[in-house]
Amino acid sequence: MRRLIPLLLAAFSSVAVAEYSAVPGGVAVIDLPAEFAPDWRVTMDGKPLHWRYRGDAPVAFVGVPLGFEGETISIEVTTPLGKTTRLSKTVGTKAYREQRITLKNNDYVSPKPKQLERIGAEREIIDAALNHYSTSVAATDRMVPPVDGRRSSSFGLRRFFNDQPRKPHSGMDIAAVTGTPIAAPLAGQVIATGDWYFNGRSVIVDHGRGLITLYCHLDEIAVAEGQSLATGETLGTVGATGRVTGAHLHWGVYLNGTAVDPAMFIDDEQ
């Protein structure tokens, strides 16, 4: 059933609007030329980027990969007549802690050939959704928390499953009991759903111009592909499906196909 749910923001610690930070796993905010117009192209290595007006000022939002090792990140701004301007932003450094997890089912650490075949097929679907780009855009880049629960600072953790190194954690874990409603943190459109090997039951939502959110390990999915969502509308419930040690929501935020820290988008004062 589709319904709007209240977010109990008082249960969260009150903090000021989060600052975007140009570090690995962060967001580089780059000022666009004052004469910028909506028909100009904003790209990085040929890939379109998220841009919007903040007040009257046009800015680009660039997801910085966790493994980024350069000193600056560069983008291109191109007019309809083909004139291109390169803009750059200095990228800082950030160290992430380690996380060691013990799983009883070793198939989630070293999958068998049939499982690897399934994982590969699902990866194509997931990657296509996370790299999706649409021209419409939500009215704001600020988000409300999707679940009322304790938020971990798990993004970017260098993970070891049963002492085997794996990719860094690409989202925020929010602790909540099975069945807790999950609300869309920002208006958007559902572009993928599935019951995937590692992620369990999952939903992916497009918020426009390459800003995508991912919700994993759901107990129930309450939306369908193509469905439009308002901010606060239920998209599913918290569960413990896929590779987990207990019930929680894994919430991912992606810019230009790059996982970035969801904490940077949360505005607890909304």
Side-chain angles (χ1 to χ4, degrees), residues 46-223:
K47 188 173 187 177
L49 296 174
H50 186 86
W51 66 268
R52 65 171 55 251
Y53 288 95
R54 303 190 89 183
D56 294 327
V59 295
F61 293 77
V62 187
V64 183
L66 275 167
F68 187 80
E69 297 180 349
E71 295 182 356
T72 61
I73 198 161
S74 298
I75 69 172
E76 299 81 37
V77 182
T78 306
T79 71
L81 296 179
K83 179 182 177 181
T84 297
T85 301
R86 291 183 65 85
L87 304 171
S88 62
K89 183 89 169 183
T90 300
V91 176
T93 60
K94 184 171 183 177
Y96 292 95
R97 297 178 294 110
E98 288 186 0
Q99 181 185 43
R100 293 183 178 270
I101 299 171
T102 300
L103 296 174
K104 294 181 180 178
N105 185 350
N106 199 59
D107 285 351
Y108 281 119
V109 181
S110 301
K112 295 179 174 62
K114 272 290 186 183
Q115 294 163 336
L116 287 172
E117 184 178 339
R118 172 187 170 184
I119 291 165
E122 292 174 350
R123 191 71 256 172
E124 291 185 9
I125 297 170
I126 296 167
D127 286 348
L130 297 181
N131 285 278
H132 181 74
Y133 191 91
S134 60
T135 55
S136 60
V137 67
T140 178
D141 52 288
R142 308 309 301 164
M143 301 185 188
V144 294
V147 168
D148 178 15
R150 179 180 58 81
R151 306 176 204 145
S152 77
S153 57
S154 57
F155 178 84
L157 290 176
R158 293 177 292 127
R159 297 187 301 173
F160 295 79
F161 288 99
N162 296 359
D163 293 324
Q164 299 296 312
R166 293 295 183 264
K167 291 181 179 180
H169 193 234
S170 58
M172 173 190 287
D173 288 339
I174 306 178
V177 299
T178 296
T180 302
I182 302 166
L186 187 63
Q189 184 178 46
V190 179
I191 55 173
T193 65
D195 189 355
W196 298 320
Y197 187 78
F198 287 126
N199 295 348
R201 296 188 185 100
S202 303
V203 173
I204 301 178
V205 180
D206 170 31
H207 305 285
R209 296 184 188 147
L211 177 58
I212 307 290
T213 54
L214 167 69
Y215 310 83
C216 300
H217 311 309
L218 277 58
D219 186 56
E220 293 184 354
I221 295 173
V223 293

